[in-house]
């Protein structure tokens, strides 16, 4: 015991075999086998031996650094996740450097994209080598951001691509960060533009957009709008100005405006024979009782026309409650939609992510206990789901009707078949990327490249 080294609950590991100069690991004596983040996992054969090719993103907040690795398959094991779900994982053996020590460990290849650490160091690697001081970190090596930049300098690609701006309000949001890092990974120059810090000059000969104290911004190839509802009007004016200056906008101003107007969108869906829950709209409180009857009575859903992420959506369980809520909204001159409640959906809905006329990913969202809204922002949980051809067709048609190249289409399953709930023109990436393991941000950048006929040179 006296010969054992002491390590902290977090340490840096090095895999020279794979060309990984540093990866942060959580030390977990509760787990038997160590694991490493891996995606694009493919089995292949060298002679008669089974090998595996996989990619590692060694830095949690930067998927632009992507290292391709190969190893001989050591074993395949059924592993139970923290959610209690069993899955078969590939196990490899590789030499790891931990401080001054180099030794072979077994590693399971796992999708750890949603985890804080890209690697987990299990007890088989610790046995007869280390004691763990759970109150300390990085006792064997300590790397600063500057150290990491140097170690990974060779992986940063030269900018040879497009100049793309993300037009949004918060650069720290998961979706905005993912889009920026995916664009950079493909060699593009990515810029974050804050909607509220840009302003416009209207002129037939020389229209301009200026930013933060007078800097003229007119050299963008494409704009990716990620617009929160409160700035829709101003942001769409900016998008129209960019369009007038010849910049491609992934989701145009008119398409976003249509999608944000829930009444107009609902009318367009009904006009184009898309199946939606029975929906009512009225101006006068005198019509409240008939409005409730029209959507098959209580329980029913009441939606503010400006609602988003499940906010401004109310379930009225009785006719009396429905009358009270509807009349309260009308007394403050707020526009609402009244919609039938689809009980058999059981608090579940499906989010289909549509890019350029294809459903590239889909997830099922389950409402939290005691909640009817399945939105992730309302505590809902997400899981990967295989959608039916009918649901796929409905999602694609809904995005097409609103003329949205990128859309989050929400559907529920009912006794009458799939019903369209709504279409989001700035769909979030966090829930669907974590649920499906797919790189949706990269697909969005590829859509811009295709539109602008940009030939991407992978290095």
């Amino acid at each position: 015991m006296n010969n054992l080294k002491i390590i902290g609950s977090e340490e840096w590991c090095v895999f020279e075999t794979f060309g990984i100069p540093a990866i942060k690991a959580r030390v977990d004596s509760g787990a038997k086998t160590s694991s490493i983040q891996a995606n694009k996992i493919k089995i292949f054969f060298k002679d008669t031996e089974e090998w595996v090719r996989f990619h590692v993103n060694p830095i949690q907040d930067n998927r632009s650094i992507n290292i391709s690795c190969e190893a001989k398959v050591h074993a395949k094991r059924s592993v139970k996740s923290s959610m209690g779900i069993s899955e078969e994982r590939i196990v490899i053996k590789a030499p790891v450097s931990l401080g001054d020590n180099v030794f072979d460990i077994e590693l399971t290849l796992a999708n750890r994209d949603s985890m804080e650490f890209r690697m987990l160091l299990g007890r088989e690697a610790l046995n007869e080598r280390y004691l763990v001081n759970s109150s300390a970190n990085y006792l064997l090596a300590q790397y600063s951001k500057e150290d990491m930049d140097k170690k990974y300098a060779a992986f940063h690609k030269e900018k040879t691509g497009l100049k793309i701006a993300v037009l949004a309000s918060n650069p720290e949001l998961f979706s905005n960060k993912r889009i920026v890092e995916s664009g950079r990974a493909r060699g593009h120059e990515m810029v974050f533009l804050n909607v509220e810090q840009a302003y416009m000059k209207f002129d037939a000969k020389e229209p301009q957009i200026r930013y933060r104290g007078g800097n003229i911004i007119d050299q963008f190839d494409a704009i990716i709008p990620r617009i929160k509802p409160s700035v829709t009007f101003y942001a769409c004016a900016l998008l129209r100005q960019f369009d007038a200056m010849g910049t491609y906008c992934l989701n145009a101003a008119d398409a976003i405006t249509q999608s944000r107007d829930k009444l107009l969108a609902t009318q367009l869906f009904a006009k184009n024979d898309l199946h939606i829950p029975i929906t009512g709209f009225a101006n006068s409180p005198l019509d409240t009782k008939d409005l409730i009857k029209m959507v098959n009575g209580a329980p029913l859903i009441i939606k503010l026309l400006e609602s988003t992420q499940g906010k401004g959506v109310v379930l009225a369980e009785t006719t009396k409650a429905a009358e009270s809520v509807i009349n309260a909204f009308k007394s403050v001159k707020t526009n609402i939609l009244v919609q039938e409640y689809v009980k058999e959906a059981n608090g579940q809905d499906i989010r289909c992510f549509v890019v350029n006329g294809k459903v590239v990913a889909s997830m099922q969202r389950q409402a939290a206990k005691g909640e009817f809204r399945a939105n992730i922002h309302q505590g809902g949980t997400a899981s990967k789901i295989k959608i039916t051809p009918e649901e796929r067709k409905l999602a694609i048609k809904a995005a097409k009707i609103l003329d949205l190249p990128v859309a989050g289409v929400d559907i529920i399953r009912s006794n009458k078949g799939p019903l369209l709930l709504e279409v989001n023109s700035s769909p979030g990436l966090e829930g669907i990327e974590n649920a499906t393991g797919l790189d949706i941000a990269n697909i969005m950048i590829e859509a811009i490249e295709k539109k602008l006929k940009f030939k991407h040179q992978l290095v």
Side-chain angles (χ1 to χ4, degrees), residues 1-67:
M1 291 286 284
N2 293 335
N3 297 327
L4 300 184
K5 288 189 177 180
I6 297 174
I7 60 171
S9 60
E10 298 168 16
E11 292 291 349
W12 289 99
C13 295
V14 177
F15 289 92
E16 286 190 10
T17 312
F18 300 138
I20 299 175
I23 185 167
K24 198 187 287 183
R26 180 165 72 87
V27 179
D28 183 2
S29 57
K32 182 183 177 186
T33 311
S34 304
S35 68
I36 192 167
Q37 182 272 345
N39 54 50
K40 298 181 183 174
I41 299 168
K42 286 191 179 173
I43 297 285
F44 67 102
F45 286 87
K46 283 189 180 182
D47 296 325
T48 57
E49 290 184 329
E50 205 172 23
W51 280 60
V52 61
R53 187 176 291 117
F54 57 98
H55 288 230
V56 175
N57 304 119
I59 302 174
Q60 170 66 19
D61 295 323
N62 190 351
R63 285 202 217 183
S64 67
I65 294 173
N66 189 43
I67 299 175

Side-chain angles (χ1 to χ4, degrees), residues 261-271 276 279 337 339:
D261 184 337
K262 282 193 169 50
L263 178 59
L264 173 59
T266 302
Q267 288 175 310
L268 287 170
F269 298 149
K271 179 184 175 183
I276 58 173
T279 304
L337 289 177
Q339 207 165 64

Side-chain angles (χ1 to χ4, degrees), residues 414-426:
S414 78
N415 293 336
K416 296 180 281 186
L419 300 176
L420 175 64
L421 288 181
E422 63 178 284
V423 179
N424 190 321
S425 56
S426 292

Side-chain angles (χ1 to χ4, degrees), residues 366-368 373-381:
Q366 173 67 58
R373 296 166 294 183
N375 306 68
I376 306 298
H377 289 87
Q378 300 300 328
T381 54

Side-chain angles (χ1 to χ4, degrees), residues 163-198:
K163 188 172 182 182
I164 303 171
V166 175
L167 185 68
S169 299
N170 182 358
E172 295 307 310
L173 278 184
F174 178 93
S175 300
N176 298 337
K177 285 166 76 174
R178 283 285 300 113
I179 291 166
V180 168
E181 76 182 27
S182 282
R184 285 177 181 159
R186 295 183 70 83
H188 304 304
E189 182 182 350
M190 301 296 294
V191 176
F192 183 87
L193 288 181
N194 190 315
V195 172
E196 291 146 280
Q197 292 178 10

Side-chain angles (χ1 to χ4, degrees), residues 180-331:
V180 168
E181 76 182 27
S182 282
R184 285 177 181 159
R186 295 183 70 83
H188 304 304
E189 182 182 350
M190 301 296 294
V191 176
F192 183 87
L193 288 181
N194 190 315
V195 172
E196 291 146 280
Q197 292 178 10
Y199 52 103
M200 294 160 275
K201 172 191 171 188
F202 303 115
D203 181 77
K205 290 183 181 176
E206 194 188 10
Q208 285 181 355
I209 295 178
R210 299 195 177 205
Y211 193 66
R212 287 184 184 161
N215 296 316
I216 297 171
I217 48 174
D218 59 359
Q219 299 299 313
F220 291 108
D221 297 295
I223 302 291
I224 301 175
R226 303 289 306 172
I227 298 166
K228 64 182 182 181
S230 61
V231 295
T232 300
F233 180 81
Y234 188 70
C236 285
L238 280 169
L239 289 172
R240 283 191 291 271
Q241 189 79 341
F242 274 118
D243 181 62
M245 292 158 54
T247 303
Y248 171 64
C249 299
L250 185 67
N251 284 359
D254 290 349
I256 293 169
T257 302
Q258 276 191 155
S259 73
R260 290 278 162 91
D261 184 337
K262 282 193 169 50
L263 178 59
L264 173 59
T266 302
Q267 288 175 310
L268 287 170
F269 298 149
K271 179 184 175 183
N272 287 278
D273 198 30
L274 290 186
H275 294 172
I276 58 173
I278 299 167
T279 304
F281 178 72
N283 185 52
S284 167
L286 297 173
D287 301 316
T288 298
K289 281 186 167 59
D290 194 43
L291 191 66
I292 292 168
K293 276 187 203 165
M294 199 165 66
V295 297
N296 294 332
L300 54 80
I301 303 292
I302 300 160
K303 288 183 178 180
L304 288 177
L305 287 187
E306 297 81 22
S307 65
T308 181
Q309 295 177 348
K311 295 170 188 169
V313 181
V314 178
L315 170 64
E317 299 199 38
T318 65
T319 301
K320 193 166 184 178
E323 287 178 11
S324 298
V325 174
I326 291 167
N327 292 336
F329 279 137
K330 296 214 164 298
S331 69

